[in-house]
Amino acid sequence: MHESEELAEIRRAVRALCDEFPGEYWREKDRTRDYPAEFVDALTRSGFLAALIPEEFGGSGLKLDAAAVIMEEIQASGCNGGAAHAQMYIMNTLLRYGSEAQKAEYLPKIASGELRLQAFGVSEPTSGTDTLSLKTRAVRDGDHYVVNGQKIWTSRAEHSDLMLLLARTTPRDQVEKRTEGLSIFLVDMREVVGKGMTIKPIRTMMNHSTCEVFFDDMRIPASSLIGEEGKGFRYILSGMNAERILIGAECIGDAKWFIEKAKAYAGDRSVFGRPIGQNQGVQFPIARCYAQMRAAELMVHYAAQVYDKGGNPGEEANMAKMLASEASWAAADMCVQTFGGFGFAEEYDVERKFREARLYTVAPISTNLILSYLAEHVLGLPRSY
């Protein structure tokens, strides 16, 4: 895929940074379930996590297509951008809908690394991807909002200073449209952890630092509200499109990593007196995964370009995420099959990346929900749920 010299230079710089964090680093973090703070700090110092922040606030002022290249290259290098990717896609909601005062207060500190914006409080145990049914409430009380409820799968909550929180400010039976009555808040977690906010880690099959978060009469300033009260669902749709594009880019990076690992191993590993990569039963699956990855790659970067032009790429972002996650998972399965028994050995990193890649056909939105969206909103078929 042809790309500008600027994007190629970004790739080289990201690759050079990632070379400082080899497989041994990630295997140790995976064993101990530690947050890769050193890696996130390095990304911050390099300016990569401030890529989307305008220059006047200390960032690079790059577009989403450049951010996609950053996240893709992190994964293609064998690292894991899941520890930091939320700062990229959450950023768009603040940039597009935050007040000038909010931007001036938070963006320079996020760009410098003084503050981390990593937590996105949306999903709940009872609603899942049915966002409009969430139950967390934020009730106005003078100059504050009082928040009660619970979020789940709020990754990096233990390692973030700020949380973008979606809560209901008007009961569902009091709004004309289902999409109304939800609001977005930028919560300073340093002020509320232990004072209305409780964070409990959830151990999962991959080291993703995910948590459930409880709100018990948590008081936050009214100035925490982003944009207009009740318009939050519309605001996060834009952010979700950015999220899906960037997750798609990460999946492309993972697919490239699996393909390179399988290609190298198939060329070096000899059985019955010949490289296993000489066998069509080994080389054809690698070639098929390569073709699948390249097709998905085009969709991801096309979606990013539509977003950068100010469009609302719901169709493109959803397809990009679905196709890229499926390409990544196909490549992961192929890589394990190519390595055989060695694919399950920790030292090769294949099993770790295999577990990590499985996440993205489920999260941040499942393939079934994407297919439902395309069927209804693109193809005009009756709503299925």
Side-chain angles (χ1 to χ4, degrees):
M1 186 181 72
H2 175 74
E3 63 185 15
S4 68
E5 178 56 30
E6 179 186 27
L7 294 182
E9 179 57 34
I10 289 173
R11 285 191 190 279
R12 289 191 288 270
V14 174
R15 176 71 65 161
L17 184 151
C18 289
D19 285 344
E20 300 176 14
F21 297 90
E24 293 88 346
Y25 173 84
W26 295 100
R27 289 195 292 273
E28 179 60 26
K29 296 296 182 184
D30 190 62
R31 287 188 207 108
T32 59
R33 296 303 172 106
D34 285 340
Y35 184 74
E38 303 87 354
F39 179 67
V40 176
D41 288 343
L43 286 176
T44 302
R45 289 193 303 271
S46 70
F48 291 130
L49 292 189
L52 297 175
I53 298 177
E55 292 182 58
E56 60 263 35
F57 296 113
S60 303
L62 299 177
K63 294 185 179 295
L64 193 69
D65 202 31
V69 165
I70 292 170
M71 301 313 299
E72 176 192 318
E73 201 62 32
I74 289 172
Q75 302 299 118
S77 299
C79 299
N80 187 350
H85 59 194
Q87 190 150 302
M88 290 285 199
Y89 57 75
I90 292 176
M91 188 63 59
N92 283 274
T93 301
L94 178 58
L95 290 173
R96 288 194 170 188
Y97 304 108
S99 68
E100 291 306 313
Q102 287 170 330
K103 294 177 187 177
E105 170 67 20
Y106 293 109
L107 290 180
K109 296 177 183 177
I110 295 170
S112 70
E114 182 179 343
L115 292 178
R116 282 182 181 165
L117 173 59
Q118 289 289 352
F120 193 24
V122 177
S123 296
E124 297 184 2
T126 58
S127 58
T129 50
D130 184 8
T131 304
L132 296 177
S133 295
L134 65 81
K135 297 179 180 179
T136 297
R137 287 291 314 276
V139 179
R140 185 69 181 259
D141 181 22
D143 293 333
H144 290 79
Y145 282 89
V146 180
V147 183
N148 284 280
Q150 179 184 358
K151 297 293 180 180
I152 199 166
W153 312 126
T154 307
S155 299
R156 301 159 301 276
E158 294 179 291
H159 307 283
S160 184
D161 300 303
L162 304 172
M163 172 188 287
L164 202 66
L165 174 66
L166 184 66
R168 179 161 294 284
T169 45
T170 304
R172 286 187 63 175
D173 58 3
Q174 296 179 23
V175 295
E176 293 183 6
K177 299 180 180 179
R178 296 177 66 247
T179 55
E180 296 177 346
L182 297 175
S183 300
I184 284 281
F185 300 91
L186 186 61
V187 179
D188 189 334
M189 300 172 67
R190 299 170 301 171
E191 302 295 328
V192 293
V193 171
K195 302 175 183 177
M197 175 186 285
T198 304
I199 301 172
K200 293 186 177 181
I202 301 173
R203 189 173 178 89
T204 59
M205 69 184 287
M206 73 291 291
N207 182 27
H208 208 67
S209 302
T210 198
C211 307
E212 54 184 337
V213 183
F214 299 87
F215 310 101
D216 297 293
D217 291 332
M218 182 182 77
R219 296 181 67 85
I220 55 176
S223 59
S224 303
L225 178 70
I226 291 182
E228 295 181 53
E229 184 179 291
K231 304 296 183 183
F233 184 71
R234 177 166 61 88
Y235 298 160
I236 67 163
L237 287 181
S238 173
M240 285 180 172
N241 283 335
E243 175 188 47
R244 288 164 196 178
I245 293 168
L246 291 176
I247 292 296
E250 290 185 55
C251 291
I252 295 300
D254 278 336
K256 289 181 176 180
W257 186 89
F258 286 118
I259 290 166
E260 285 300 312
K261 291 286 282 191
K263 182 181 73 171
Y265 187 79
D268 292 340
R269 173 71 164 163
S270 290
V271 179
F272 300 114
R274 55 191 272 161
I276 63 172
Q278 189 174 342
N279 302 314
Q280 291 181 350
V282 174
Q283 65 178 230
F284 280 13
I286 300 174
R288 181 176 294 277
C289 285
Y290 177 79
Q292 189 176 357
M293 177 275 293
R294 289 303 305 273
E297 181 183 31
L298 291 173
M299 191 71 245
V300 168
H301 287 283
Y302 177 69
Q305 291 162 13
V306 173
Y307 188 95
D308 285 336
K309 291 176 181 178
N312 180 28
E315 175 183 349
E316 294 85 358
N318 276 288
M319 289 193 296
K321 190 270 178 185
M322 182 184 75
L323 295 174
S325 64
E326 291 178 347
S328 174
W329 181 237
D333 187 60
M334 172 276 296
C335 191
V336 170
Q337 198 69 21
T338 302
F339 271 73
F342 289 108
F344 298 94
E346 185 185 63
E347 66 181 288
Y348 291 93
D349 292 313
V350 173
E351 63 85 25
R352 171 179 61 83
K353 293 283 280 184
F354 178 88
R355 287 184 281 112
E356 292 170 358
R358 184 62 181 88
L359 172 64
Y360 293 122
T361 57
V362 174
I365 184 173
S366 72
T367 298
N368 284 346
L369 262 293
I370 290 176
L371 293 173
S372 295
Y373 174 89
L374 294 174
E376 178 184 356
H377 297 285
V378 179
L379 300 177
L381 295 171
R383 185 182 179 91
S384 61
Y385 59 93

